[in-house]
Amino acid sequence: MHRAETCHVRPWTAPQQRRPSLSIVYKGDLERGREWERFFAVHAPELQFRLWPDFGRAEEVSYFVTWQPPDDVSAVFPNLQVLFSSGAGVDQFDLNRVPSHVRIVRMIEPGIIDGMVEYATLATLLHHRNFIDYAERQRRREWSGMRVLPASSRHVGVMGLGMLGCAVLERLRTFGFALSGWNRSPRAIEGVACFAGEERFAEFLGGCDILLCLLPLTEKTRGILCGETFARLKRGAALVNIGRGGHLVEADLLEALASGQLSAAVLDVAATEPLPADHPFWGHPRIVVTPHVASMTQPRTAAKALLANIRRHQAGEPLVGTVDRSRGY
Ligand code: GLV
């Protein structure tokens, strides 16, 4: 009888599945980045959250969150799957430089929405309650009042009915303003007269005393705040631009203010940022300028929104805020 041969071959076992490590890189303000990092350390310790420029092994990076990616983002992160904007907009990205298989996602998070609602409300009330007139009167040491009109007598129009525009309208409704909204595609919002498409733009503008721009900047919306648009508003109307500087034809605004077609403007954005020191907007008595601060991404709420989106991605579900490259937002 043969002795059973000792088997020197180890029984077959499935090779250890080596899970690729996934890392997320944040590029932006470091102090705020640390807040995102702390959130991920507590809520998703299995994911590596790294702060640019210490991103570890570039080939492990699947998710990149930033306001300004490097030009050669696909060379820096060859296995990138999703590029997240750390802000609400993506017009600062050169979409042609991001490979087509990489998804691009806007930041939709409650902190940005709350900030925008505050600013839009403040600017609308500032116009409604004539604060720009009172600032001028104060400079002249003039104690004289203007008639206080009820909010219901003011017609406020909001351009852009995405998450931000809708949240702004919801808050403005509580004051009793007459409200209209304009959007590329149709929307229905309670208590708001909604208009859609270029063909209804003039009709939307017709009744407005205060016009707020919250549109994304695309080739279709660039320069939309121009003389022709202002001419359709009620005479003496006021403007709030919390979209992008590229929406506004700056010379047309100055002309509309000089002619009295517009009475005032609150501008949080400018074609050139920072606004050059010699720009006429700085010293204009009917313009209030703020340095692109209408709203800011809030690390805690944004990190939570980012993690929820990463979980969706890992589960093969659609991501909130996915950009349609053909529309540009
Ligand atoms: C700021 O402008 C943003 O897009 O978040």
Side-chain angles (χ1 to χ4, degrees), residues 34-45:
R34 287 201 188 92
E35 292 183 50
W36 294 64
E37 185 180 44
R38 279 196 291 278
F39 180 92
F40 273 81
V42 173
H43 298 279

Side-chain angles (χ1 to χ4, degrees), residues 67 85-92 107 112 116 164 242-244 268-269 273 292-297:
W67 177 250
S85 172
S86 55
V90 290
D91 53 285
Q92 75 283 10
M107 178 56 68
I112 294 183
M116 207 47 123
L164 297 175
I242 34 184
R244 290 287 184 256
D268 184 53
V269 285
E273 294 181 6
H292 203 141
V293 291
S295 188
M296 278 180 202
T297 303

Side-chain angles (χ1 to χ4, degrees), residues 63-66 81-90 92-93 95 98 102-108 305-306 309-310 312-313 318-325 329:
Y63 306 108
F64 186 27
V65 52
T66 185
Q81 298 183 44
V82 189
L83 171 61
F84 292 95
S85 172
S86 55
V90 290
Q92 75 283 10
F93 290 177
L95 300 188
V98 183
V102 173
R103 287 191 222 180
I104 302 173
V105 177
R106 289 177 288 127
M107 178 56 68
I108 296 180
L306 175 67
N309 249 348
I310 288 175
R312 284 186 196 101
H313 186 252
L319 306 189
V320 174
T322 298
V323 169
D324 174 343
R325 289 179 186 238
Y329 64 96

Side-chain angles (χ1 to χ4, degrees), residues 236-300:
L239 177 69
V240 179
N241 190 13
I242 34 184
R244 290 287 184 256
H247 287 127
L248 177 66
V249 180
E250 296 185 342
D252 288 10
L253 172 62
L254 292 171
E255 208 175 297
L257 289 170
S259 72
Q261 175 56 24
L262 290 189
S263 59
V266 171
L267 308 174
D268 184 53
V269 285
T272 305
E273 294 181 6
L275 190 66
D278 59 353
H279 197 286
F281 287 175
W282 281 121
H284 199 293
R286 310 295 304 177
I287 296 178
V288 171
V289 171
T290 53
H292 203 141
V293 291
S295 188
M296 278 180 202
T297 303
Q298 298 298 330
R300 269 204 72 77

